[in-house]
Amino acid sequence: MMENGGLQQTAAGWIRRATRVAVLTGAGISAESGIPTFRDNNGLWRNFRAEDLATPQAFARDPRLVWEWYNWRRSLIAQAEPNAGHQALVALEQTKPGFTLITQNVDGLHARAGSRDPLLLHGDIWTLRCTRCGVAVEDHRANLDPLPPVCGCGAMQRPGVVWFGESLPAEVWRKAEQAARSAEVLLVVGTSALVYPAAGLIQVAQQAGAKTIEVNAAETPVSGQVDCSLRGRSGEILPRLLE
Ligand code: NAD
């Protein structure tokens, strides 16, 4: 059994030699920026139940409560800055002609760090979408007031994110699957790999012959399936792995 150091060298070699690299990130990459994840000890779901807040049913039942929660998350994210993990991925992108960043995060930190065109599988917390006419607008105010916000057409707006039980944006998903299928290396960072279909991209890449590398602070259901699993914080591991 190799220690993290040896594994890291092996994984770094795979990445260095590859032309087509895909990266799948989750809430863990933003943890060191101070944004709570969903499923860790201090994760959001310790204090709130997902089914009360992040479902179409919850929004239909109590839109104001759901919006208050999103307002709270928006204010946390507004104070956060991208960390060394986000930045290492920006540097990697500049060295790879075939680079695709796929994220489950809605916080916008990849784009703020300088990643060019991240595929937002679960949408964007800074987008508001009308529940009637469907028009989407960007709004970066940390605290929306009054709640719920209202579209120009008079109907209520909702957060522009994908809730449990909803479909992913079709074109974004198509591009993500395509990137996973054609990658020589898939790097999986800071995701519990429990939310599907996003986590299915790992298998898509593996079946197409990619090397898969996980970077996570804890063991996950895919730790035993990937080619190399590196244990630790992404803000520390990624800069070393990708230097
Ligand atoms: P998750 O909360 O289920 O899992 C977070 C994972 O990150 C865990 O496996 C944990 O071990 C790992 N982790 C924690 N700190 C880390 C660190 N410093 N370095 C490396 N790994 C670390 O999150 P998920 O897998 O992204 O899935 C849940 C859903 O949560 C997604 O749909 C996403 O949209 C949403 N979400 C997004 C944000 C955000 O935008 N920042 C925050 C919370 C949840």
Side-chain angles (χ1 to χ4, degrees), residues 156-175:
M156 195 162 50
Q157 290 168 311
R158 57 163 284 176
V161 302
V162 177
W163 282 326
F164 292 103
E166 293 185 318
S167 305
L168 272 52
E171 184 59 11
V172 174
W173 177 250
R174 191 191 61 74
K175 287 182 182 166

Side-chain angles (χ1 to χ4, degrees), residues 17 106 231:
R17 287 190 293 277
V106 298
R231 197 71 60 248

